[in-house]
Each structure stands twice: as structure tokens, then as C-alpha cells.
Amino acid sequence: MIRMNVNRILPLMLLLVLFASCSRKYKVEGVSSVTSLDGKMLYLKTLRDGQWIAIDSAEVVHGLFSTSGPSDSVMMVTLYMNDEAIMPLVLENGKIEVSISNSQLTAKGTPLNNALYEFIEKRNSLELKIEELEKKEARMVLDGAALDDIHEQLTQEGEVLVKEMNDYIKEFISTNYENVLGPSVFMMMCSTLPYPIMTPQIEDIIRTAPQTFKSSPLVREFLDKAKENMKLIEEHRRMEESGKINN
């Protein structure tokens, strides 16, 4: 009968675990065609307790920059030049290839960065289609189309595009509820609002969200403020209605 020597195997297992943890590293390799970045320091910053904290940096030399570090956990960061945010990144195990130009920002090479920038590209494409409706309106007017017909057609097309975008954003967030992309893209979406508020789109996303998503610090803070604002709006509305009745 063959017996295992635990005293020999245990140190080997510990060594394998240590090797696996040490081998998990991120490496950011970037190329920039923006001449104003040459010679500048770029920083990877993460948001902690409302403060942007630099966790790594790299100098741009002849349009190239590179940095690396341990990847014990997946982290959402933003690439900064001084206090100017350039682009979001996910620090995860693997090589992240960053490209910066005047017309495009991309990060690829790892699963979450690939997913993030595929999402950003699709969202930008939909936003461009919505913006194109204004140009289409001008062309239709020049072609002599009736204003009522123009308004009806473009309203319908706009509603279809907005619904497509909202559905796409919701699908992406729900697919990534359990990783850093879900909360991060949710907060990107919410940042377009003038102040925290519960919109139908946000309520729809939260309705099916797991507790892990809703308890994410930034998401939880936004929801708390949004609910407070909704109460204030409702109280203000009731006071206005009461004033109208009394008058």
C-alpha cells in the first residue's frame, strides 16, 4: 500500500500556492500618438473614501509607457495625467495593451478590459447615431419635407435608438453584476445626471440586482442620496399642490 508523506507534500503545496499568487501580475503597455503626453508622467488612480489615490505610475517616452505590479485582486482604476482623467482601466492579471490617440482610447488584452472597451465602442456608436438625427432633420428640411412629418419620423427613430441604448446598458450591467464592471458602468451612467435621482432606468437595473451589487460602496452611496432626493422632490410636489388647493 502506497502512503503519502504529508510532511513532504504540505511544503510543496504551500510553495505552489505562493508561486501562483506571485505569478498573478498586471502589466500595462501603452502607446500614445498624442505628442503633448511625451515626457509626462501618467498615473493609475483608484477611488478610495472619496479620494483619488495613485497606485502606480509610468513616464511616456517617445510615445511609449509601461508599468506592472502584483494583481492579487481585480481593481477598477483610471489613467490620469496630473489631475486630468484620461481613461478607465481594469487592473487584472495579464498584459493590458493601451492605445491613446486624439480620436480613440482603447485598452485590450485581458477579459474585463476587452469587455469594457467593446461596451464603450458600442455605446459611442449608438450616441453618434442619436446625434446624427439632428443633421438628418436639417437635410430633410432642405429637401422640402413637411415639418410635422419630419418631427414624427425623427421622434420615432430617436425613441428606438434611446431604447436600444438603455437596453444595451442594462444588459451589460446585469451581465457584470458580480464583477467590477457592473458597479463602474452603473456609476458612469449615473454621472450624467445633474444630481442623484431614481430614474425608471436605474430602478429597472436595481430591481434585479443582487445584494453584492447594491452593497458596493459607490452604488450604495448613490442609492442612499437618490432616495433622499426623491423624498425631497415628493415633499416639494405635495407642498406645491397643497398651495394650489389653498389658493
Side-chain angles (χ1 to χ4, degrees), residues 186-202 222 226 229-230:
F186 177 80
M187 293 308 301
M188 289 179 195
M189 179 191 72
C190 294
S191 68
T192 62
L193 299 171
Y195 52 86
I197 191 172
M198 297 298 292
T199 66
Q201 183 185 17
I202 291 173
F222 175 87
N229 288 337
M230 293 301 290

PDB file of all heavy atoms in Angstrom, residues 186-202 222 226 229-230:
ATOM      1  N   PHE A 186     -22.373  51.346 -14.061  1.00  0.00           N
ATOM      2  CA  PHE A 186     -23.556  51.944 -13.433  1.00  0.00           C
ATOM      3  C   PHE A 186     -23.256  53.366 -12.975  1.00  0.00           C
ATOM      4  O   PHE A 186     -24.041  54.291 -13.204  1.00  0.00           O
ATOM      5  CB  PHE A 186     -24.001  51.085 -12.253  1.00  0.00           C
ATOM      6  CG  PHE A 186     -25.165  51.650 -11.478  1.00  0.00           C
ATOM      7  CD1 PHE A 186     -26.461  51.496 -11.944  1.00  0.00           C
ATOM      8  CD2 PHE A 186     -24.965  52.335 -10.286  1.00  0.00           C
ATOM      9  CE1 PHE A 186     -27.545  52.026 -11.232  1.00  0.00           C
ATOM     10  CE2 PHE A 186     -26.023  52.854  -9.571  1.00  0.00           C
ATOM     11  CZ  PHE A 186     -27.325  52.697 -10.050  1.00  0.00           C
ATOM     12  N   MET A 187     -22.095  53.566 -12.337  1.00  0.00           N
ATOM     13  CA  MET A 187     -21.727  54.896 -11.867  1.00  0.00           C
ATOM     14  C   MET A 187     -21.407  55.836 -13.029  1.00  0.00           C
ATOM     15  O   MET A 187     -21.682  57.038 -12.955  1.00  0.00           O
ATOM     16  CB  MET A 187     -20.542  54.812 -10.907  1.00  0.00           C
ATOM     17  CG  MET A 187     -20.859  54.103  -9.589  1.00  0.00           C
ATOM     18  SD  MET A 187     -22.325  54.756  -8.754  1.00  0.00           S
ATOM     19  CE  MET A 187     -21.871  56.485  -8.524  1.00  0.00           C
ATOM     20  N   MET A 188     -20.831  55.314 -14.113  1.00  0.00           N
ATOM     21  CA  MET A 188     -20.616  56.139 -15.313  1.00  0.00           C
ATOM     22  C   MET A 188     -21.951  56.660 -15.837  1.00  0.00           C
ATOM     23  O   MET A 188     -22.078  57.828 -16.210  1.00  0.00           O
ATOM     24  CB  MET A 188     -19.923  55.317 -16.407  1.00  0.00           C
ATOM     25  CG  MET A 188     -18.474  54.978 -16.144  1.00  0.00           C
ATOM     26  SD  MET A 188     -17.784  53.980 -17.516  1.00  0.00           S
ATOM     27  CE  MET A 188     -16.285  53.354 -16.763  1.00  0.00           C
ATOM     28  N   MET A 189     -22.940  55.773 -15.876  1.00  0.00           N
ATOM     29  CA  MET A 189     -24.268  56.155 -16.340  1.00  0.00           C
ATOM     30  C   MET A 189     -24.887  57.206 -15.417  1.00  0.00           C
ATOM     31  O   MET A 189     -25.439  58.213 -15.872  1.00  0.00           O
ATOM     32  CB  MET A 189     -25.164  54.913 -16.400  1.00  0.00           C
ATOM     33  CG  MET A 189     -26.598  55.174 -16.845  1.00  0.00           C
ATOM     34  SD  MET A 189     -27.646  53.725 -16.590  1.00  0.00           S
ATOM     35  CE  MET A 189     -27.792  53.725 -14.801  1.00  0.00           C
ATOM     36  N   CYS A 190     -24.760  56.995 -14.116  1.00  0.00           N
ATOM     37  CA  CYS A 190     -25.356  57.913 -13.142  1.00  0.00           C
ATOM     38  C   CYS A 190     -24.663  59.276 -13.128  1.00  0.00           C
ATOM     39  O   CYS A 190     -25.267  60.285 -12.756  1.00  0.00           O
ATOM     40  CB  CYS A 190     -25.306  57.302 -11.739  1.00  0.00           C
ATOM     41  SG  CYS A 190     -26.338  55.828 -11.564  1.00  0.00           S
ATOM     42  N   SER A 191     -23.396  59.314 -13.530  1.00  0.00           N
ATOM     43  CA  SER A 191     -22.642  60.573 -13.512  1.00  0.00           C
ATOM     44  C   SER A 191     -23.170  61.575 -14.530  1.00  0.00           C
ATOM     45  O   SER A 191     -22.833  62.758 -14.464  1.00  0.00           O
ATOM     46  CB  SER A 191     -21.157  60.308 -13.764  1.00  0.00           C
ATOM     47  OG  SER A 191     -20.943  59.855 -15.089  1.00  0.00           O
ATOM     48  N   THR A 192     -23.992  61.117 -15.484  1.00  0.00           N
ATOM     49  CA  THR A 192     -24.568  62.034 -16.475  1.00  0.00           C
ATOM     50  C   THR A 192     -25.769  62.789 -15.917  1.00  0.00           C
ATOM     51  O   THR A 192     -26.241  63.743 -16.544  1.00  0.00           O
ATOM     52  CB  THR A 192     -25.006  61.264 -17.742  1.00  0.00           C
ATOM     53  OG1 THR A 192     -26.029  60.319 -17.393  1.00  0.00           O
ATOM     54  CG2 THR A 192     -23.826  60.521 -18.350  1.00  0.00           C
ATOM     55  N   LEU A 193     -26.253  62.366 -14.750  1.00  0.00           N
ATOM     56  CA  LEU A 193     -27.394  63.043 -14.121  1.00  0.00           C
ATOM     57  C   LEU A 193     -26.921  64.302 -13.390  1.00  0.00           C
ATOM     58  O   LEU A 193     -25.804  64.336 -12.885  1.00  0.00           O
ATOM     59  CB  LEU A 193     -28.091  62.109 -13.121  1.00  0.00           C
ATOM     60  CG  LEU A 193     -28.684  60.822 -13.698  1.00  0.00           C
ATOM     61  CD1 LEU A 193     -29.132  59.901 -12.568  1.00  0.00           C
ATOM     62  CD2 LEU A 193     -29.852  61.128 -14.628  1.00  0.00           C
ATOM     63  N   PRO A 194     -27.770  65.333 -13.314  1.00  0.00           N
ATOM     64  CA  PRO A 194     -27.368  66.561 -12.606  1.00  0.00           C
ATOM     65  C   PRO A 194     -27.170  66.340 -11.110  1.00  0.00           C
ATOM     66  O   PRO A 194     -26.359  67.001 -10.480  1.00  0.00           O
ATOM     67  CB  PRO A 194     -28.526  67.527 -12.879  1.00  0.00           C
ATOM     68  CG  PRO A 194     -29.692  66.651 -13.237  1.00  0.00           C
ATOM     69  CD  PRO A 194     -29.105  65.461 -13.928  1.00  0.00           C
ATOM     70  N   TYR A 195     -27.905  65.380 -10.549  1.00  0.00           N
ATOM     71  CA  TYR A 195     -27.767  65.013  -9.140  1.00  0.00           C
ATOM     72  C   TYR A 195     -28.375  63.614  -8.964  1.00  0.00           C
ATOM     73  O   TYR A 195     -29.146  63.151  -9.821  1.00  0.00           O
ATOM     74  CB  TYR A 195     -28.460  66.026  -8.213  1.00  0.00           C
ATOM     75  CG  TYR A 195     -29.891  66.317  -8.574  1.00  0.00           C
ATOM     76  CD1 TYR A 195     -30.932  65.514  -8.101  1.00  0.00           C
ATOM     77  CD2 TYR A 195     -30.222  67.398  -9.400  1.00  0.00           C
ATOM     78  CE1 TYR A 195     -32.253  65.776  -8.436  1.00  0.00           C
ATOM     79  CE2 TYR A 195     -31.531  67.667  -9.740  1.00  0.00           C
ATOM     80  CZ  TYR A 195     -32.543  66.855  -9.262  1.00  0.00           C
ATOM     81  OH  TYR A 195     -33.841  67.106  -9.605  1.00  0.00           O
ATOM     82  N   PRO A 196     -28.028  62.897  -7.886  1.00  0.00           N
ATOM     83  CA  PRO A 196     -28.556  61.537  -7.702  1.00  0.00           C
ATOM     84  C   PRO A 196     -30.082  61.515  -7.639  1.00  0.00           C
ATOM     85  O   PRO A 196     -30.693  62.253  -6.862  1.00  0.00           O
ATOM     86  CB  PRO A 196     -27.946  61.103  -6.355  1.00  0.00           C
ATOM     87  CG  PRO A 196     -26.713  61.917  -6.230  1.00  0.00           C
ATOM     88  CD  PRO A 196     -27.039  63.243  -6.853  1.00  0.00           C
ATOM     89  N   ILE A 197     -30.679  60.672  -8.465  1.00  0.00           N
ATOM     90  CA  ILE A 197     -32.127  60.539  -8.515  1.00  0.00           C
ATOM     91  C   ILE A 197     -32.473  59.158  -9.056  1.00  0.00           C
ATOM     92  O   ILE A 197     -31.703  58.570  -9.815  1.00  0.00           O
ATOM     93  CB  ILE A 197     -32.740  61.651  -9.406  1.00  0.00           C
ATOM     94  CG1 ILE A 197     -34.266  61.691  -9.262  1.00  0.00           C
ATOM     95  CG2 ILE A 197     -32.343  61.471 -10.854  1.00  0.00           C
ATOM     96  CD1 ILE A 197     -34.905  62.861  -9.960  1.00  0.00           C
ATOM     97  N   MET A 198     -33.616  58.633  -8.665  1.00  0.00           N
ATOM     98  CA  MET A 198     -34.051  57.320  -9.120  1.00  0.00           C
ATOM     99  C   MET A 198     -34.864  57.474 -10.406  1.00  0.00           C
ATOM    100  O   MET A 198     -36.026  57.837 -10.371  1.00  0.00           O
ATOM    101  CB  MET A 198     -34.871  56.626  -8.036  1.00  0.00           C
ATOM    102  CG  MET A 198     -34.115  56.330  -6.761  1.00  0.00           C
ATOM    103  SD  MET A 198     -32.705  55.211  -6.995  1.00  0.00           S
ATOM    104  CE  MET A 198     -33.561  53.693  -7.393  1.00  0.00           C
ATOM    105  N   THR A 199     -34.226  57.234 -11.524  1.00  0.00           N
ATOM    106  CA  THR A 199     -34.918  57.262 -12.812  1.00  0.00           C
ATOM    107  C   THR A 199     -35.519  55.876 -13.083  1.00  0.00           C
ATOM    108  O   THR A 199     -35.122  54.882 -12.466  1.00  0.00           O
ATOM    109  CB  THR A 199     -33.952  57.614 -13.947  1.00  0.00           C
ATOM    110  OG1 THR A 199     -33.000  56.540 -14.088  1.00  0.00           O
ATOM    111  CG2 THR A 199     -33.203  58.915 -13.649  1.00  0.00           C
ATOM    112  N   PRO A 200     -36.464  55.771 -14.025  1.00  0.00           N
ATOM    113  CA  PRO A 200     -37.011  54.442 -14.372  1.00  0.00           C
ATOM    114  C   PRO A 200     -35.924  53.456 -14.793  1.00  0.00           C
ATOM    115  O   PRO A 200     -35.997  52.271 -14.468  1.00  0.00           O
ATOM    116  CB  PRO A 200     -37.957  54.766 -15.533  1.00  0.00           C
ATOM    117  CG  PRO A 200     -38.393  56.175 -15.286  1.00  0.00           C
ATOM    118  CD  PRO A 200     -37.186  56.856 -14.713  1.00  0.00           C
ATOM    119  N   GLN A 201     -34.901  53.940 -15.521  1.00  0.00           N
ATOM    120  CA  GLN A 201     -33.816  53.071 -15.963  1.00  0.00           C
ATOM    121  C   GLN A 201     -33.039  52.539 -14.765  1.00  0.00           C
ATOM    122  O   GLN A 201     -32.717  51.344 -14.697  1.00  0.00           O
ATOM    123  CB  GLN A 201     -32.879  53.818 -16.906  1.00  0.00           C
ATOM    124  CG  GLN A 201     -31.766  52.942 -17.474  1.00  0.00           C
ATOM    125  CD  GLN A 201     -30.761  53.727 -18.308  1.00  0.00           C
ATOM    126  OE1 GLN A 201     -30.705  54.954 -18.225  1.00  0.00           O
ATOM    127  NE2 GLN A 201     -29.982  53.021 -19.111  1.00  0.00           N
ATOM    128  N   ILE A 202     -32.738  53.418 -13.800  1.00  0.00           N
ATOM    129  CA  ILE A 202     -31.992  52.995 -12.612  1.00  0.00           C
ATOM    130  C   ILE A 202     -32.819  52.017 -11.781  1.00  0.00           C
ATOM    131  O   ILE A 202     -32.316  50.995 -11.303  1.00  0.00           O
ATOM    132  CB  ILE A 202     -31.579  54.220 -11.778  1.00  0.00           C
ATOM    133  CG1 ILE A 202     -30.516  55.025 -12.530  1.00  0.00           C
ATOM    134  CG2 ILE A 202     -31.065  53.801 -10.400  1.00  0.00           C
ATOM    135  CD1 ILE A 202     -30.150  56.344 -11.891  1.00  0.00           C
ATOM    136  N   PHE A 222     -24.719  56.242  -3.861  1.00  0.00           N
ATOM    137  CA  PHE A 222     -25.586  56.878  -4.848  1.00  0.00           C
ATOM    138  C   PHE A 222     -27.051  56.605  -4.540  1.00  0.00           C
ATOM    139  O   PHE A 222     -27.881  57.520  -4.564  1.00  0.00           O
ATOM    140  CB  PHE A 222     -25.256  56.378  -6.261  1.00  0.00           C
ATOM    141  CG  PHE A 222     -26.200  56.909  -7.300  1.00  0.00           C
ATOM    142  CD1 PHE A 222     -25.972  58.133  -7.920  1.00  0.00           C
ATOM    143  CD2 PHE A 222     -27.345  56.196  -7.649  1.00  0.00           C
ATOM    144  CE1 PHE A 222     -26.863  58.637  -8.858  1.00  0.00           C
ATOM    145  CE2 PHE A 222     -28.246  56.687  -8.583  1.00  0.00           C
ATOM    146  CZ  PHE A 222     -27.995  57.916  -9.193  1.00  0.00           C
ATOM    147  N   ALA A 226     -29.913  59.259  -3.768  1.00  0.00           N
ATOM    148  CA  ALA A 226     -31.017  59.334  -4.728  1.00  0.00           C
ATOM    149  C   ALA A 226     -32.363  59.187  -4.024  1.00  0.00           C
ATOM    150  O   ALA A 226     -33.320  59.915  -4.330  1.00  0.00           O
ATOM    151  CB  ALA A 226     -30.860  58.253  -5.791  1.00  0.00           C
ATOM    152  N   ASN A 229     -33.151  62.366  -2.191  1.00  0.00           N
ATOM    153  CA  ASN A 229     -33.599  63.400  -3.121  1.00  0.00           C
ATOM    154  C   ASN A 229     -35.017  63.153  -3.610  1.00  0.00           C
ATOM    155  O   ASN A 229     -35.788  64.095  -3.807  1.00  0.00           O
ATOM    156  CB  ASN A 229     -32.642  63.480  -4.317  1.00  0.00           C
ATOM    157  CG  ASN A 229     -31.302  64.086  -3.951  1.00  0.00           C
ATOM    158  OD1 ASN A 229     -31.197  64.822  -2.977  1.00  0.00           O
ATOM    159  ND2 ASN A 229     -30.275  63.773  -4.722  1.00  0.00           N
ATOM    160  N   MET A 230     -35.373  61.890  -3.800  1.00  0.00           N
ATOM    161  CA  MET A 230     -36.730  61.565  -4.241  1.00  0.00           C
ATOM    162  C   MET A 230     -37.752  61.967  -3.175  1.00  0.00           C
ATOM    163  O   MET A 230     -38.842  62.464  -3.493  1.00  0.00           O
ATOM    164  CB  MET A 230     -36.840  60.074  -4.545  1.00  0.00           C
ATOM    165  CG  MET A 230     -36.021  59.611  -5.750  1.00  0.00           C
ATOM    166  SD  MET A 230     -36.462  60.442  -7.307  1.00  0.00           S
ATOM    167  CE  MET A 230     -38.080  59.755  -7.606  1.00  0.00           C
TER     168      MET A 230
END
